[in-house]
Amino acid sequence: MNDASATDAAERRPETVGRAVWISGPVVRADLTANVFMGEQMEVGASRLIGEIIGISGKQALIQVYEETDGMQPGEPVYGTGLAMYIELGPGLIGGVFDGVQRPLNILQRKGPFVEKGAKADPLDPARRWRFIPDAKPPARIRGGEVLGVVPETPVVEHRVLAPPDCSGELVAVAPEGDYAAGDPIATIRTDGREFTVAMAQRWPVKQARPYQEHLRPIVPLITGQRIFDLFFPLAKGGSAAIPGGFGTGKTVTQHQLSKWAEADVIVYVGCGERGNEMAEVLMDFPKLADPRTGRPLMEKTVLIGNTSNMPVAAREASIYTGITIAEYYRDMGHHVALMADSTSRWAEALREVSGRLEEMPAEEGFPAYLATRLAQFYERAGRVRTLSGREGSVTIIGAVSPAGGDFSEPVTQHTKRFTRCFWALDKDLAAARYFPAINYLESYSGYLDDVAEWWRDRHDPQWRELREQAMRLLQEDDRLQRIVRLVGEDALPDEQRLIIEGSRLLQEGCLQQNANDPVDTFCRPEKQLGLLKAILHFVVRAKEIIKRGAPIHRIREMPARESIVRAKDKIPNDKPELLDDLMAGIDREMDALYAEFQKVR
Amino acid sequence: MRSESGKIYRGLTGVSGALVFLRGDGGVAYGEMVEIVGDDGRIRAGRVLIASRETLAIEVYQGTDGISPTGARIRCLGRPLETPVAAEMLGRTFDSFGRALDGGPDPLADDWRNVNGAAINPAVRAYPRDFLQTGISAIDGLNTLVRGQKLPIFSGSGLPHNQLAAQIVRQAQAPGESEGFAVIFAIIGASRDVADLFRRSVEESGALPRVAMFVNFADDPAVERLVTPRSALSLAEYLAFDCGMHVLVVMTDITQYCEALREVASAKGEVPSRKGYPGYLYSDLASLFERAGRIQNKAGSITQVPILTMPNDDITHPIPDLSGYITEGQIVLERDLDRAGIYPPINVLPSLSRLMSDGIGEDRTRPDHAHLSSQLYSAYAYARRIRMLAAIVGEEELAGRDRKYLDFGRRFEREFIAQAIDENRTIEQTLDRGWLMLRELPAADLTRVSAEEISRHLK
């Protein structure tokens, strides 16, 4: 699909290509009078509902419709657009709220509080003017994806207007600095003897990954400010992660935490088949919350796609593609983008529902056999890349999975596991114990440990990997001991083993658990993360010496330092790392005293 | 009454379960309402499920018994399934289609609404945060309901979920606003006894003038059950967003609704998903539950308390499982508590109100609410663990501290969770009672409440 010709096609009014002959829910069959292609975007029926060609057989086409088809009659016309399912890209996406097929929900609300079918509005507000500052000077050779100029889209996001990725040639003209609407022409490019005008707003087919120069190894961690992820199961910029969990385990809270605090230039949050009130919460919180790095409202770097569970199911399927295409678009400008999809299971169910209407042969649990392929195609659009203009950009995908009955053996979780390298397993028992984030540290894993180790070593601490392994060993030993405790009780164990249990408890309370509602603890800088971890491991090492000297375990448990460690996560602010040294010194002081005491006893 | 296309067909090509098929000729819309007159002369309502030039598939609401392929006549009404809405419908009882069931005249409609409604634009939703007092400690204290929330009761056959729902309806009040509060019951596939229980319960409390009931009895055609909650919710939307009322919608039993959905799906020959339920069960339930909420700059709200009986008490069954993914928490009833004579038998541990944290605290309930509920929760969780241990090693073997917890657990269930069926506790009473429960626990264990709170409330 050539983008320059897309601009051409846009000039054409969609034309009648046939008539609907069979209508059932989101699937319509049409008799064709003109040529259409697979994946072509359609307008269906008298109210011109958005649809897509998903099958062609002889003179008949199968169309998936992204809105409710109630009231449509056989015989109504079907229009072709000549374009693959596309969305509009340009300034004005940031801060916007869109449904699955990119209708701007905050503009549609002017027509009433309910989304009526057939409602239409331009995704990019045509009335809004943007300050365009040219960056390229004609005449010059220009390649697709290079920067024509910049628009300060928000105070924190610089929008770089790019030449369409597949439109290389001679740059004939660029508009002077000034205020333009997204659709105004701002450059002319001559290629193969034809001239194309280029606007800030460009179209891109959503199911096609946007091109880049080179795939780069994901070696920079995406710092999330959440200790369990950054320290234990790190995700890399350009990587992908899955968060599976039954209901009530905190998937959405975790996704919200990540989108609030993850160190990304742009956040794309896709609420795919989830609760309307959750979107309302995001819309209430994000304009008020400040990004920890820039201090500016989070909304200034966020794009929201909201296709709630009661909105048309086919548009839910589209929402994932809409989201990832927007993410790639900002990546191509040289930004680091994080995409949260909550929840990919609802997306898979949308595939299942449409597949069922098409009477396709089902595979596992009624899901279509191509489920794995679709999931792979989605997660493969994550990556850290060198863009066409030579910049570095990345798309990181964090997909929530809602397994039926909380059972991870179901197809969506299993397939997702194959395509993501981070697996953050949420645990029902931990959530029931109000242990948050309820990440099961024994079941979770990260495939990026080796990739990001260098970054941690160079930036923060050469010991990062070693500290992590030490902590994981402690947790694993504790897990083994807990099995014995369940049979005989904790009192029956020798003190050295009870110290392991005590140490693991301290690690969990003082480090792994993190309170999303606490103003200090909700976000934790890497320095503080390491400081806490070190303090806890140091405490355990020192305590071990003392236990060896015969001190009873309760003396360790009753140390004031233990209490200080547990409180440190919400008492020590991110900008006062020196307090961590005090914490360490306090531990040593108390340990020295206790050590001395038992030295004498001996 | 309404405009009608008046298109009439004679004869069918087939009848299967609740579906009839006939030859079409275009001009009939997907989702359009039709009337089917059988050989017996009886008129049944139906809806177009597949509209094509060759074939029409129609879902028949009052059953297909008595319909023959040659004798049937189909009249198309040229409109989707609509239901009357009116403020005067409060105080009355209707069938699934909004027709009077109480012997009175059919309601004089202020408007007719498509029963399917339309999705609330997520961008105009107002985030729910206003406390709704049910007068039940286990809910108000530990799983607080807020206006605009959907909080289901997960129950099992034989548990007193209907009594609990009736009690919520009698007692529910939005503090500060006694005016403009309405209740709508959607009774889906219930026995006449259950319908009667609800009616008597509201009559006795004198709440009848603010209650509307939509009833589909257990022996009514299953396919009508798909309409009952939708008619009820259409009225709720009208009262909330056109008339500015706070509406509480109680729907019982969602399990019956899902069974009906499965029955119709299987008659259509659809590919089944888990346990034979259709793959779109989640979307379909969401189209009901997501009709709860508040809208910016509108006074009213819709709060839903759906009731569902978990088949075999299994919370991982598709119905409770998918519901849990849509609703904002759940109130779980437990058979063991019921057997122990605790009413309401709410197990607070698996119960959850997702919107609680934003709906409580200063100016909403009381400043100590969050800490107190967290303390009660963790103490009770520990008490249940100790109870299990005591069952193995015997109570005598327990340490003193653990025995205290054992006692706490018993008292908590008997004095905090349990209350009489007509006992309406204010939030103050609930919280004070909560503090009373903590009295016997070791002071060092009360880490989730602050020292000031202890000195203030634990004297």
Side-chain angles (χ1 to χ4, degrees), chain A residues 21-23 25 69 71-72 74-75 105 109 113-115 246 248 273 275-277 309 316 346 352-353 403-405 432 434, chain B residues 27-30 50-53 118-119 121 124-125 127 148 273-274 280 282-283 286 290 321 324-328 330 354 377:
Chain A
V21 293
W22 184 94
I23 303 144
T69 52
M72 191 183 292
L105 291 170
Q109 74 177 69
F114 295 93
V115 183
R275 303 178 181 93
N277 281 334
S309 55
R316 190 194 300 167
R346 305 298 161 226
R352 174 167 72 187
E353 187 169 339
R434 298 294 195 262
Chain B
V28 178
Y30 171 75
I50 296 174
S52 83
R53 292 226 166 142
N121 184 334
V124 300
R125 276 183 185 269
Y127 187 65
S273 175
R274 279 175 77 206
Y280 50 78
Y282 175 85
S283 302
E290 277 292 324
D321 185 47
Y325 277 119
I326 305 165
T327 56
E328 282 132 358
Q330 64 277 335
R354 288 165 187 270
Y377 184 95

Side-chain angles (χ1 to χ4, degrees), chain A residues 118-177:
Chain A
K120 284 193 173 49
D122 286 314
L124 304 174
D125 188 353
R128 175 102 188 246
R129 304 265 144 186
W130 299 95
R131 164 105 336 196
F132 172 78
I133 305 153
D135 194 39
K137 276 201 185 66
R141 291 286 306 161
I142 189 150
R143 281 187 323 218
E146 287 186 332
V147 180
L148 296 169
V150 298
V151 172
E153 185 172 357
T154 71
V156 292
V157 177
E158 184 181 71
H159 192 109
R160 301 179 186 124
V161 181
L162 309 174
D166 43 10
C167 182
S168 300
E170 191 187 340
L171 181 65
V172 180
V174 174
E177 177 168 345

Side-chain angles (χ1 to χ4, degrees), chain B residues 172-332:
Chain B
Q173 59 176 50
E177 288 182 65
S178 53
E179 293 291 310
F181 193 76
V183 178
I184 297 177
F185 268 119
I187 298 174
I188 307 159
S191 70
R192 288 180 161 68
D193 291 344
V194 172
D196 240 31
L197 167 90
F198 282 125
R199 198 185 339 239
R200 264 185 293 116
S201 150
V202 292
E203 257 169 12
E204 280 161 19
S205 70
L208 196 60
R210 54 171 193 157
V211 178
M213 291 173 77
F214 289 80
V215 185
N216 164 276
F217 292 114
D219 54 353
D220 284 337
V223 62
E224 280 185 32
R225 289 177 198 150
L226 306 184
V227 182
T228 325
R230 294 189 161 82
S231 293
L233 287 164
S234 298
L235 178 61
E237 279 169 0
Y238 175 76
L239 295 176
F241 303 130
D242 291 61
C243 306
M245 300 172 101
H246 294 292
V247 187
L248 175 66
V249 183
V250 177
M251 301 189 279
T252 181
D253 174 344
I254 293 297
T255 305
Q256 292 281 8
Y257 172 87
C258 296
E259 300 286 343
L261 196 69
R262 176 165 68 177
E263 190 177 327
V264 173
S266 119
K268 280 191 263 183
E270 289 173 345
V271 180
S273 175
R274 279 175 77 206
K275 298 216 169 173
Y277 292 94
Y280 50 78
L281 180 60
Y282 175 85
S283 302
D284 193 280
L285 285 173
S287 74
L288 301 180
F289 296 151
E290 277 292 324
R291 289 172 84 171
R294 288 171 56 216
I295 292 178
Q296 289 166 22
N297 306 320
K298 290 210 183 257
S301 64
I302 297 178
T303 310
Q304 286 185 12
V305 179
I307 296 167
L308 52 94
T309 46
M310 299 182 279
N312 202 20
D313 293 354
D314 175 12
I315 201 166
T316 64
H317 184 280
I319 298 172
D321 185 47
L322 294 176
S323 299
Y325 277 119
I326 305 165
T327 56
E328 282 132 358
Q330 64 277 335
I331 303 287
V332 182

Side-chain angles (χ1 to χ4, degrees), chain A residues 19-26 31 69-76 97 104-109 112-116 245-252 272-281 283-284 288 306-313 316 346 349 352-353 355-357 359-360 362 365-366 401-406 428 431-434 486 517 567, chain B residues 26-32 47 49-55 80 114 116 118-129 142-143 148-150 154 237 241 268-274 278-280 282-283 286-287 290-296 298 315-316 320-330 348-349 351-352 354-355 357-358 377 389 447-448:
Chain A
R19 301 208 163 262
V21 293
W22 184 94
I23 303 144
S24 172
D31 276 347
T69 52
D70 276 35
M72 191 183 292
Q73 295 186 358
E76 288 190 24
V97 193
L105 291 170
N106 40 9
I107 293 176
L108 284 186
Q109 74 177 69
F114 295 93
V115 183
E116 304 293 345
F247 67 83
T249 51
K251 272 188 311 297
T252 301
C272 173
E274 290 289 306
R275 303 178 181 93
N277 281 334
E278 283 168 2
M279 291 307 290
E281 189 185 2
L283 285 170
M284 177 180 74
K288 284 188 277 184
N307 213 90
T308 55
S309 55
N310 56 335
M311 290 163 79
V313 66
R316 190 194 300 167
R346 305 298 161 226
E349 280 163 17
R352 174 167 72 187
E353 187 169 339
S355 163
R357 300 258 184 191
E359 294 172 358
E360 292 170 339
E365 293 194 13
V401 183
S402 319
K428 204 157 196 158
R434 298 294 195 262
R486 275 196 286 277
N517 293 322
R567 301 245 174 237
Chain B
V28 178
Y30 171 75
E32 182 170 338
R47 181 171 161 268
L49 287 186
I50 296 174
S52 83
R53 292 226 166 142
E54 292 79 35
T55 318
N114 185 332
N116 292 321
I120 299 178
N121 184 334
V124 300
R125 276 183 185 269
Y127 187 65
R129 21 191 349 178
L142 291 168
N143 297 286
Q149 183 176 16
K150 40 199 178 292
F154 283 10
E237 279 169 0
F241 303 130
K268 280 191 263 183
E270 289 173 345
V271 180
S273 175
R274 279 175 77 206
Y280 50 78
Y282 175 85
S283 302
S287 74
E290 277 292 324
R291 289 172 84 171
R294 288 171 56 216
I295 292 178
Q296 289 166 22
K298 290 210 183 257
I315 201 166
T316 64
D321 185 47
L322 294 176
S323 299
Y325 277 119
I326 305 165
T327 56
E328 282 132 358
Q330 64 277 335
V348 295
L349 298 182
S351 299
L352 169 74
R354 288 165 187 270
L355 302 183
S357 60
D358 291 313
Y377 184 95
L389 196 62
T447 53
R448 300 199 180 202

Side-chain angles (χ1 to χ4, degrees), chain A residues 251-252 255 269-274 278 340-344 400 402:
Chain A
K251 272 188 311 297
T252 301
Q255 287 275 38
Y269 190 92
V270 186
C272 173
E274 290 289 306
E278 283 168 2
M340 325 288 162
D342 185 14
S343 143
T344 57
S402 319

